[in-house]
Amino acid sequence: MELLYTYLNNNLLIIFFYFLLSIFFIFIGKLFFDFFIKSQNENEEMIQIYKSFYPLIGIFFFGNVLLIFNFFTGLNKIPIFLFFLILFLFSLFKNFKILSDYKLYFFNLTILLISATNIGISKDANLYHLQNQAWLRDEKIVFGLSNINPYLGYSSIFEYINSLLWIENNFIFVHFVTLYIIACIFDIIFKFILSDSNYLNNVGYVFLIIGLLDNFGFSGGRNGFLFLQETFKYDQIFSSLFLTTLILFLLIYKFSDKETGFNLFFFITVFTVQTRFTGHIIFLLFLFLIINKKFPLITKKSVVSVFLYLLFVFKNFLYSSCLWFPVSFTCIKFVPWHQPKQAEFISNLLLNTNKLPNSNATDVIPFEDFMNEFLNTQIDYVLNFLVTLFVIITFFLIISKKLMINITQIFGSVLLFLVWIYLAPTYRFGVPFFLSIYFTISFLYLDKVKINFSKNIKNLIFVPLYFFVIVAIIRGDSILELRSLSDISLVVEQKEIEFVSVDDFWWISPTNNDGYLCGTYKYCYVEKFKSKKVLYLNDYFYFDPINKNHYIDEFS
């Protein structure tokens, strides 16, 4: 590994593996698509659009196969690498010619790679992401893992994906996964813009308007468009996946693709939900398809996505005793690793700190304090969002000379906004809601407004605008960093650690009892979460908290 680490610190090799990994996801995505998603009856344009989803499908497939493996073994094992290598080579030799369809995708990746020069790393990495991934790398699934660190309870599918992307202490490949997802979206939008379908053109135009205006406005802009964030933050990934499901919904709704499109929509929705619980909002779109367009409730091939959803829920249960942590009503209280009031405490803490930073789980936040905080920190984003919404409506209004917004669209948009205000009224959590509102308000315009731009106009105006928008996602200082770039790496600085013995195994206690900052160490001990390791069935074990009443005491 030291030799590999030395080589991968060379920028050219990092760039080489950046593109190689993207090719890996394309080909295993193609394999999964052919077996579990594709039907026989598709027109050529739909086939070309669905090809843009292959990298995304590959990432989903990679993560869920690792999820299955982890029920039986740790993930950092040579047989697992060999398994994926065989799948990759099989698909590569079988489908090699499809690479020619990804020229724009690779060009987009080249642009987005600039962000790696100084992307930064989130403090959440040391808080729980790296500790979670360390467990995944070394051990088969552990029951009650949330008892040693409550933040381990909400384990995203990206913990599995990222757990195999460590190169010693360099985590730059974790950032690359975000870039693959964003490049997929831009690849899809480009096909929409150049399509002969006015409907798809309009979806692309709305996307570009949002992306353009994201760079202007109060406090420098930000209106709910895609963004890049510190590595090990999953807000931008969730927002990107959420947008992908919206785009896919608009596609299959218009063209009534009840087979391949619906299967793909099912899988991407599950992927989004596995990333963050809030993704369940997308299931409302399923109801819309079933009721309005007579889509089937389920298809033969979508059974696989239902299985993977239920398997992920089962994993949540084993981790925390809750089907969805920290949603307290989903917790199963009779299992030995259940800790009373843990989920409720963490849920309250998340809700409160998003309304008022530095508040506690047991605080009752006065409405006046919340509003003062919201107006001081979030109002500029809301104003930018409203200005963008006004521009989109005006754009379609000028062309159509009609106001095509009904009461259902208004009600749905207001409801989405209020859900954001209640759950997590901060910008990074608001992006999926803002994007949903943009397309909800535009919904009737997308289908009924015909904007007949010639191919020359598209090439002259919208293609340059497309590339401006993708470049604008990258921070300006990342571009400036190219002048003096010497290394592409994301290194997490470990805190000084003291080793302490607890019962028959080792824990690691942060110096000065410094919260949860455990880094890559699995057995990270914090006094108030002291737990004992209890052997369970067939060499599985769970963590049993010494003080089962810790969270009950916190509420008292």
Side-chain angles (χ1 to χ4, degrees):
M1 287 298 292
E2 290 184 7
L3 184 62
L4 181 62
Y5 176 58
T6 302
Y7 280 139
L8 286 181
N9 264 326
N10 180 291
N11 286 344
L12 290 177
L13 277 172
I14 286 180
I15 293 170
F16 170 76
F17 280 103
Y18 169 64
F19 286 105
L20 181 62
L21 186 60
S22 72
I23 293 170
F24 167 78
F25 286 130
I26 288 172
F27 281 105
I28 67 168
K30 166 65 173 171
L31 200 64
F32 187 88
F33 182 86
D34 287 346
F35 274 95
F36 298 110
I37 298 176
K38 184 180 178 182
S39 65
Q40 299 301 317
N41 303 313
E42 294 296 343
N43 65 55
E44 184 60 29
E45 182 174 23
M46 297 297 279
I47 290 173
Q48 289 303 317
I49 291 173
Y50 291 148
K51 282 181 180 179
S52 296
F53 289 89
Y54 288 175
L56 197 60
I57 299 165
I59 297 170
F60 170 79
F61 177 59
F62 182 69
N64 278 274
V65 169
L66 292 176
L67 169 68
I68 294 170
F69 275 132
N70 191 237
F71 281 93
F72 310 101
T73 181
L75 300 179
N76 190 27
K77 302 289 174 64
I78 291 177
I80 292 179
F81 286 96
L82 289 176
F83 171 79
F84 283 113
L85 178 61
I86 292 169
L87 286 182
F88 169 61
L89 293 176
F90 172 77
S91 184
L92 177 67
F93 290 125
K94 183 181 178 183
N95 306 297
F96 183 77
K97 291 182 179 179
I98 67 170
L99 270 184
S100 61
D101 297 321
Y102 290 88
K103 295 172 185 174
L104 179 67
Y105 176 72
F106 291 128
F107 186 76
N108 290 341
L109 285 180
T110 304
I111 295 172
L112 293 170
L113 179 61
I114 298 171
S115 67
T117 57
N118 67 344
I119 188 63
I121 199 160
S122 167
K123 65 179 181 180
D124 289 349
N126 273 320
L127 181 66
Y128 65 99
H129 289 302
L130 290 172
Q131 185 187 16
N132 197 337
Q133 291 169 34
W135 278 104
L136 294 174
R137 287 167 64 87
D138 297 343
E139 304 276 355
K140 62 185 176 183
I141 193 165
V142 177
F143 304 172
L145 197 60
S146 66
N147 291 330
I148 66 171
N149 179 347
Y151 293 104
L152 298 179
Y154 41 87
S155 173
S156 162
I157 191 65
F158 278 90
E159 306 294 5
Y160 293 84
I161 295 165
N162 294 339
S163 69
L164 290 192
L165 299 179
W166 297 13
I167 305 296
E168 295 293 333
N169 206 31
N170 189 339
F171 301 99
I172 192 65
F173 288 90
V174 173
H175 171 60
F176 290 163
V177 175
T178 303
L179 305 187
Y180 301 150
I181 295 172
I182 292 177
C184 281
I185 295 173
F186 273 90
D187 198 53
I188 296 164
I189 293 299
F190 192 83
K191 291 175 181 177
F192 280 14
I193 293 170
L194 297 186
S195 171
D196 293 329
S197 165
N198 278 288
Y199 177 84
L200 297 182
N201 292 163
N202 289 341
V203 174
Y205 299 151
V206 171
F207 177 90
L208 292 182
I209 290 171
I210 301 167
L212 175 65
L213 296 181
D214 184 61
N215 300 283
F216 309 98
F218 300 96
S219 298
R222 288 205 169 189
N223 61 3
F225 191 63
L226 302 177
F227 62 104
L228 289 175
Q229 201 176 20
E230 300 158 303
T231 300
F232 289 104
K233 282 278 191 185
Y234 296 154
D235 306 309
Q236 84 278 20
I237 292 177
F238 177 71
S239 298
S240 299
L241 291 175
F242 201 96
L243 176 60
T244 306
T245 58
L246 288 176
I247 292 171
L248 190 52
F249 165 79
L250 293 170
L251 180 67
I252 65 174
Y253 180 84
K254 170 63 177 177
F255 297 101
S256 295
D257 187 353
K258 298 180 181 180
E259 297 182 9
T260 301
F262 189 60
N263 293 335
L264 180 57
F265 183 59
F266 226 122
F267 279 104
I268 301 299
T269 298
V270 170
F271 193 15
T272 308
V273 171
Q274 289 177 330
T275 304
R276 183 164 288 169
F277 175 76
T278 319
H280 282 89
I281 292 173
I282 298 167
F283 283 111
L284 294 174
L285 299 180
F286 274 98
L287 293 178
F288 198 78
L289 290 172
I290 293 167
I291 295 171
N292 282 32
K293 300 288 282 188
K294 308 302 180 185
F295 273 61
L297 183 62
I298 196 169
T299 64
K300 289 181 180 179
K301 290 195 173 183
S302 63
V303 170
V304 177
S305 58
V306 174
F307 167 75
L308 293 175
Y309 173 87
L310 294 176
L311 191 67
F312 191 81
V313 170
F314 183 56
K315 180 274 301 179
N316 292 341
F317 164 69
L318 296 180
Y319 258 46
S320 64
S321 81
C322 303
L323 304 182
W324 285 101
F325 188 86
V327 184
S328 57
F329 71 82
T330 70
C331 299
I332 311 299
K333 298 180 180 180
F334 61 78
V335 294
W337 57 89
H338 173 72
Q339 188 166 15
K341 296 290 184 179
Q342 182 190 59
E344 185 178 343
F345 181 88
I346 297 300
S347 177
N348 287 359
L349 182 65
L350 291 173
L351 289 172
N352 282 355
T353 53
N354 280 311
K355 289 182 173 70
L356 191 66
N358 302 318
S359 58
N360 297 313
T362 55
D363 291 342
V364 177
I365 299 175
F367 181 74
E368 183 180 356
D369 291 350
F370 160 64
M371 285 305 301
N372 286 336
E373 176 67 22
F374 184 80
L375 293 174
N376 287 332
T377 61
Q378 307 300 319
I379 194 62
D380 285 346
Y381 302 128
V382 174
L383 291 174
N384 292 336
F385 157 71
L386 292 174
V387 168
T388 303
L389 193 61
F390 174 77
V391 171
I392 291 172
I393 295 171
T394 303
F395 172 76
F396 283 118
L397 194 59
I398 290 173
I399 294 171
S400 67
K401 299 181 173 54
K402 290 181 182 179
L403 184 63
M404 300 182 192
I405 302 172
N406 59 36
I407 190 66
T408 303
Q409 291 168 275
I410 295 172
F411 176 77
S413 299
V414 171
L415 184 61
L416 284 167
F417 188 83
L418 291 177
V419 170
W420 170 61
I421 292 292
Y422 173 75
L423 289 178
T426 57
Y427 178 78
R428 66 190 184 98
F429 293 115
V431 171
F433 294 95
F434 291 174
L435 290 170
S436 298
I437 293 171
Y438 288 137
F439 285 102
T440 298
I441 290 296
S442 306
F443 187 69
L444 293 178
Y445 285 119
L446 297 177
D447 190 27
K448 296 182 180 180
V449 173
K450 295 189 181 341
I451 309 174
N452 296 312
F453 290 123
S454 68
K455 188 174 182 179
N456 289 334
I457 293 293
K458 290 180 181 180
N459 289 334
L460 187 64
I461 298 177
F462 291 102
V463 172
L465 180 58
Y466 169 93
F467 286 111
F468 170 80
V469 169
I470 191 170
V471 170
I473 288 179
I474 305 166
R475 286 167 33 181
D477 54 351
S478 297
I479 299 173
L480 295 175
E481 191 74 17
L482 288 172
R483 296 179 302 178
S484 57
L485 180 65
S486 59
D487 191 24
I488 300 176
S489 63
L490 280 176
V491 177
V492 177
E493 294 183 3
Q494 299 291 350
K495 298 288 183 179
E496 185 181 351
I497 301 294
E498 293 177 350
F499 288 83
V500 294
S501 179
V502 179
D503 296 330
D504 60 342
F505 64 100
W506 289 90
W507 290 83
I508 299 170
S509 177
T511 302
N512 300 323
N513 197 32
D514 188 12
Y516 316 90
L517 299 181
C518 304
T520 58
Y521 296 104
K522 294 187 304 179
Y523 289 106
C524 184
Y525 171 73
V526 179
E527 181 63 37
K528 60 184 176 181
F529 300 136
K530 183 177 180 180
S531 300
K532 59 183 179 181
K533 184 178 179 181
V534 180
L535 288 176
Y536 203 45
L537 303 172
N538 297 322
D539 295 328
Y540 289 89
F541 64 87
Y542 67 88
F543 285 108
D544 188 30
I546 300 299
N547 180 10
K548 283 259 189 182
N549 294 322
H550 169 73
Y551 294 101
I552 295 175
D553 296 339
E554 289 283 345
F555 279 112
S556 61

